[in-house]
């Protein structure tokens, strides 16, 4: 199939982009790497009248250190995060996770901001940035606001973004020297989306003991505290944590989620 | 991929040489010319309105005023005299379906074309398609073949008494064995519905050529001559008014081995509008409307003695044939073939098999690489392992116990299949050695540090190829292959043109047929040109299917070249003033003693200096059309044993292939590299059947996958490194002893991988019997056991 007829703009500044995105006379949509939107356009699941390409906006493509945080522009590609030309404050989380998103051709174009805005529960950044305790900076014509990941992803393909707003930056807190992390996802094959994701972080200096169960057909499930780390990652425990999600009622899905998290935990315990 | 190949000296460029492919210079540089590359002045693009429901009566089609004249329905085609596709089998009891190229008041599967829209671009044609409103009155749906055969099931074709295209019964002498056999094992086995996903989808350009007053259909097909015959029937147009051309074709696997409704529509529109039109299938159309291969269900029982020697096999088999019978293979080829080939390469005496070609609200089934063999091998090879398990022997030992031994060749099996040659047991022994079974058994015992379970599996099959006249006459379908024709023509400068009616769509024929001709005539490969896939330029052929092209068209090329060789030899002898008896054709020259005259010089004489020819020269000159059939209508039987080692993760149900070995016998290999390539590609597809590919349907007949995000195929990281070991038993019936091998690679992987998984799962006491063996299937099997315990 082919996309419907649409107009295309490629503004050079954030203000210009936000101006276009706030138009109410046409159906307007931002586009970054187009790795998720492209297929939706071609399947005519998305039928915008105007696409605003935000990838030429210089400020959205920068990575910088600001105190104890790393500030990543929304249009930074997975490939760049994989290649690591920035002060990695995450003890390898960012490059390692970027490297297992899809395959290189997708990573060359796909962006961290697009991934969050798309909010597929199986997406890597959706779960990993939740585990890392990142904040999302949202920009609109009315200004900027910062939202923690746990409040940004609201559900399947659902975020805190309001019409006309875009993700501008992602703020990732620096891990302390003794922080340890684990990540495991269950994929049918290389480059496929995950069926169950486990992301865990232990950072004693900052008092973090966090497990995230992802790809649960809902927002990432955050389980803070020591319980799961101390051998508590059982199907029974997970059934309670996943309560309400379809995964809790399907024994095979429950098992797979438990295993994914258990294996992520094993990485920090070894 | 790729490793040892024991055959093929690599020397020279005739039969047996591992020469590079002539077509690669074009194809690998992206310079091929596919349907999508064709640009004709004024060409319009087509998009189809397709049914979103599986079964419904069409109560109205509304075309917006502004698009009148750009949208056509069956009413238009029927008024223009177009007839539905009828692919009838002569087998007794076959029920005939009529498939109109656009739905005629009723739709019978999701994706069925209902109307066609014409515009300058595909996107605009889709805009028009989106504006057409079709009113569907939905009917109850047959989404599962087993339910479709129960009493009271809704009928796909109203005037039929039930939903069975054809029932067949083979054998029957089983009751006594069933009552007395020491070992009896039964299984329910299923393979999923698949799509064939060639790299290039289907595509067609149609236009009327004023100069020759012909409809020219350039189509991505495996069988141009058959498409012409079918078009002629449906359009009621003389065959002489139709030319069908296959350009470069990017894979077919069976999906391009049929007359398609879209071809009829494109042809009719081109004539109606007097303009070139094109339709190119996109991936979504392919996945939804062309989900059409492999769906088998078996209830099967094996009887054996205490050593595991097979006494008999008894089976009921259902094939989901979808809504219509496809032209030319019909709706029953697949199931009827199950009945005749289920016994596999084994020698046993008692057999009964009932088959049902079931009509459902799904796309019509089409023979896919390996046709019924992939399903049959999946079923039969599981039974061999089940018997082995029951008698406590290694599965390979039970195979040795039952395979037809070499001293019995040629051999007529229980269904009268004539196995031409080979050493089937030796393929098993070599596979056992090559996979290093002992090492895996030791590793199994020791256990894996990561908790995964190791398993090794084997599967053996034999594959009939190049089926001949008697075999196809038996099916009674619209196509029966006779003598395959080839034309060989020496050009005035001493080159060679070959014309064949088969169509290369990945088989490397431009290279391999040249090698055959080179073997006979000694003309260098670069001076040999293959012309193929064009009804206007080539002799009639049923086309490329059934692993037949090298046996049949290769045989015809050799035959034509031999006749040419004799004519060249006589003219050459005359030019040297030698007697014809002493002259020989060798290395591209006719030689008599120390004298020699090249083919180029002979060609020059025939075309440009005929005054020098002998008076009694053959008036046919340097152009020959010759027909060929192998010595047996049963064709050839290539065979192989596949061995695979896997690691199964019992916690998440995932399977990793650790090693894969193919020991196969293609007879004489014209080009071992090409044979290897066919095997690699086939194994990749077989891995898809085994572990990934399934088009799921819901109860309403909705296909639940429509992109590669949901319909998984193996990628380069999932396809194992395949080690190939060749055995070389020439067929006694063919030129050079070649055997057909195009499909074989895709036959055994699901069976071998299933047996390996079950070997791995043995400590857990569970088995899987359905393909694809997804994590869900494996985890359900394990969970079932846990639940029961
Ligand atoms: C074959 C394939 C495999 C994949 N596998 C994986 C995988 O394993 N793991 C994984 O995580 N992802 C995977 N992806 C998705 C990939 O990571 C995409 O890059 C990502 O989902 C979207 O990023 P994008 O820049 O391409 O966004 P786009 O496709 O351009 O946009 C996606 C959506 O977000 C909106 N949008 C984009 N940027 C912004 C912004 N800054 N602010 C607000 N809205 C915005 C768009 O309007 C659109 O709705 C895969 C994609 C493909 C094609």
């Amino acid at each position: 199939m082919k996309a419907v007829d649409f107009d295309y703009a490629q503004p050079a500044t954030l203000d210009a982009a936000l101006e276009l995105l706030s138009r109410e006379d046409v159906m307007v949509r931002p586009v970054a790497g187009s790795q998720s939107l492209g297929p939706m356009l071609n399947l005519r699941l998305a039928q915008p009248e105007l696409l605003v390409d935000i990838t030429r906006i210089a400020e959205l493509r920068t990575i910088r250190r600001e105190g104890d945080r790393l500030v990543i522009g929304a249009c930074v590609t997975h490939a760049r995060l994989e290649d690591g030309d920035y002060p990695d404050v995450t003890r390898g989380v960012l490059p390692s996770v970027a490297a297992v998103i899809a395959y290189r051709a997708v990573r060359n174009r796909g962006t961290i901001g697009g991934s969050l805005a798309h909010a597929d529960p199986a997406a890597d950044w959706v779960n990993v940035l939740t585990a890392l305790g990142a904040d999302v900076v949202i920009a609109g014509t009315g200004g900027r606001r910062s939202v923690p990941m746990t409040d940004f992803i609201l559900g399947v393909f659902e975020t805190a973004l309001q019409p006309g707003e875009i993700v501008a930056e992602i703020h990732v807190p620096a891990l302390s020297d003794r922080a340890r992390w684990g990540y495991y996802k269950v994929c049918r094959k290389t480059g496929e989306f995950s069926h169950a994701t486990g992301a865990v972080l232990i950072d004693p200096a900052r008092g973090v003991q966090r497990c995230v169960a992802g790809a649960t057909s809902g927002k990432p499930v955050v389980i803070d505290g020591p319980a799961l780390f101390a051998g508590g990652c059982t199907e029974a425990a997970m059934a309670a944590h996943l309560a309400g999600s379809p995964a809790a009622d399907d024994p095979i899905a429950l098992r797979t989620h438990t295993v994914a998290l258990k294996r992520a935990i094993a990485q920090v315990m070894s | 991929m790729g490793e040892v190949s024991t055959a093929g000296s690599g020397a020279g460029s005739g039969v047996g040489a591992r020469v590079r492919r002539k077509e690669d210079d074009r194809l690998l540089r992206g310079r091929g010319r596919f349907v999508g590359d064709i640009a004709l002045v004024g060409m319009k693009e087509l998009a189809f309105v397709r049914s979103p429901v599986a079964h419904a009566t069409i109560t109205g089609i509304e075309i917006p005023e502004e698009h009148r004249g750009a949208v056509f329905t069956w009413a238009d085609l029927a008024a223009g005299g177009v007839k539905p596709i009828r692919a009838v089998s002569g087998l007794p009891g076959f029920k005939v379906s009529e498939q109109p190229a656009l739905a005629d008041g009723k739709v019978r599967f999701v994706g069925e074309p209902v109307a066609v829209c014409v515009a300058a671009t595909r996107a605009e044609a889709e805009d028009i398609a989106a504006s057409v409103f079709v009113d569907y009155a939905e009917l109850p749906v047959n989404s599962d073949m087993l339910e479709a055969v129960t009493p009271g099931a809704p009928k796909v074709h109203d005037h039929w008494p039930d939903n069975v295209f054809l029932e067949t019964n083979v054998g029957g002498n089983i009751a006594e064995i069933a009552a007395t056999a020491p070992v009896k094992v039964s299984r329910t086995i299923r393979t999923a519905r698949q799509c064939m996903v060639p790299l290039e989808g289907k595509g067609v350009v149609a236009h009327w050529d004023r100069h020759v007053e012909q409809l020219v259909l350039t189509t991505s097909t495996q069988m141009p001559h058959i498409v012409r015959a079918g078009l002629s029937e449906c359009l009621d147009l003389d065959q002489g008014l139709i030319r069908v051309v296959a350009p470069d074709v990017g894979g077919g696997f069976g999906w391009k081995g049929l007359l398609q409704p879209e071809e009829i529509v494109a042809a009719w529109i081109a004539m109606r509008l007097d303009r070139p039109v094109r339709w190119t299938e996109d991936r979504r159309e392919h996945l939804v409307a062309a989900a059409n291969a492999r769906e088998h269900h078996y209830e099967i029982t094996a009887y054996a003695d205490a050593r595991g020697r097979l006494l008999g096999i008894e089976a009921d088999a259902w094939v989901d044939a979808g809504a219509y019978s496809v032209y030319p293979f019909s709706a029953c080829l697949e199931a009827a073939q199950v009945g005749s080939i289920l016994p596999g390469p084994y020698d046993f005496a008692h057999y009964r098999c009932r088959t049902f070609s079931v009509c459902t609200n799904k796309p019509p089934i089409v023979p896919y690489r390996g046709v019924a063999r992939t399903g049959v091998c999946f079923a039969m090879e599981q039974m061999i392992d089940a018997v082995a398990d029951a008698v406590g022997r290694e599965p390979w030992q039970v195979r040795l116990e039952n395979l037809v031994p070499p001293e019995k060749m040629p051999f007529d099996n229980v269904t009268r299949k004539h196995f031409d040659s080979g050493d089937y047991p030796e393929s098993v022994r070599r596979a056992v050695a090559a996979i290093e079974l002992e090492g895996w058994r030791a590793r199994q015992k020791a256990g894996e540090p990561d908790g995964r379970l190791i398993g090794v599996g084997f599967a053996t099959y034999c594959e009939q190829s190049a089926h001949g006249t008697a075999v196809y006459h038996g099916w009674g379908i619209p196509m029966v292959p006779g003598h395959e024709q080839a034309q060989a023509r020496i050009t005035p400068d001493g080159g060679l043109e070959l014309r064949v009616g088969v169509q290369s769509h990945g088989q490397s024929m431009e290279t391999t047929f040249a090698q055959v001709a080179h073997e006979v005539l000694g003309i260098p490969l670069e001076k040999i040109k293959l012309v193929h896939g064009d009804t206007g330029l080539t002799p009639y052929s049923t086309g490329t299917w059934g692993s037949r092209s090298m046996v049949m068209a290769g045989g015809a090329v050799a035959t034509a070249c031999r006749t040419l060789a004799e004519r060249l030899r006589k003219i050459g002898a005359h030019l040297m003033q030698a007697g014809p008896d002493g002259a020989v054709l060798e290395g591209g020259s006719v030689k008599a003693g120390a004298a020699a005259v090249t083919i180029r010089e002979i060609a020059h004489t025939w075309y440009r200096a005929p005054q020098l020819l002998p008076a009694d020269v053959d008036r046919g000159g340097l152009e020959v059309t010759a027909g060929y059939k192998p010595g047996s209508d049963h064709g050839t039987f290539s065979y192989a044993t596949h061995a695979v080692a896997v690691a199964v993760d019992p916690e998440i149900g995932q399977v990793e292939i650790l090693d894969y070995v193919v020991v196969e016998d293609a007879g004489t290999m014209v080009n071992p590299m090409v044979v290897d390539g066919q095997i690699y590609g086939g194994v990749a597809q077989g891995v898809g059947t085994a572990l990934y590919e399934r088009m799921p349907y819901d109860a309403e007949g909705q296909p639940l996958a429509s992109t590669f995000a949901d319909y998984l195929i193996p990628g380069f990281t999932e396809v194992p490194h395949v080690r190939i070991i060749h055995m070389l038993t020439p067929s006694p019936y063919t030129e050079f002893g070649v055997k057909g091998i195009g499909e074989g690679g895709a036959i055994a992987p699901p069976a071998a991988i299933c047996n390996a998984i079950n070997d791995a799962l043995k400590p857990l006491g569970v088995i899987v019997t359905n393909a694809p063996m997804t994590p869900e299937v494996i985890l359900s099997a394990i969970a079932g056991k846990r639940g029961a315990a």
Side-chain angles (χ1 to χ4, degrees), chain A residues 1-5 39 41-45 47 103-104 184-193 195-196 235 250-253 255-260 262-263, chain B residues 122-124 126-127 130 282-284 450 649-652 654 691-693 706-710 712-715 717-718 772-776 779-780 782-783 786:
Chain A
M1 287 178 76
K2 306 285 181 201
V4 296
D5 198 16
L41 287 172
N42 279 346
L43 292 168
R44 298 198 169 191
L45 295 172
Q47 306 197 351
Y103 31 81
R104 185 74 191 194
Y184 193 89
K185 56 176 181 167
V186 178
C187 303
R188 289 286 307 284
K189 52 177 248 195
T190 305
E192 280 317 305
F193 272 101
H195 291 268
E235 283 175 43
D250 173 351
I252 288 173
R255 185 168 161 82
T256 308
H257 281 290
T258 309
V259 173
K262 209 171 67 182
R263 290 184 181 178
Chain B
R122 172 65 176 254
E124 289 164 285
E126 287 180 13
D127 289 345
D282 68 22
R283 197 52 76 184
R284 188 164 193 247
D450 60 7
D649 185 329
E651 288 196 315
I652 55 173
Q654 276 181 345
L691 298 175
Y692 300 100
E693 297 185 44
S706 63
T707 71
F708 282 146
D710 325 295
L712 296 192
I713 56 171
T717 44
E718 287 73 44
M773 291 151 284
T774 59
E776 204 184 351
L779 291 178
S780 300
I782 295 172
R786 286 206 308 178

Side-chain angles (χ1 to χ4, degrees), chain B residues 123-155:
Chain B
E124 289 164 285
E126 287 180 13
D127 289 345
I128 298 174
S131 76
V132 174
F133 180 78
V134 184
D135 218 348
Y136 298 97
E138 290 194 48
L139 297 166
V141 171
N142 284 305
S143 68
D144 180 85
M145 57 179 150
L146 296 186
E147 286 165 24
V149 295
T150 56
K155 275 190 263 171

Side-chain angles (χ1 to χ4, degrees), chain B residues 369-370 461 463 547 638 640 642 679 682-683 740-749:
Chain B
R369 196 177 199 171
Y461 69 87
E463 183 203 358
S547 303
S638 51
H642 290 208
I679 294 169
V683 169
I741 51 89
E743 298 169 84
I747 293 173

Side-chain angles (χ1 to χ4, degrees), chain B residues 112-128:
Chain B
E112 183 167 356
V114 174
V116 63
C117 307
V118 189
T121 65
R122 172 65 176 254
E124 289 164 285
E126 287 180 13
D127 289 345
I128 298 174

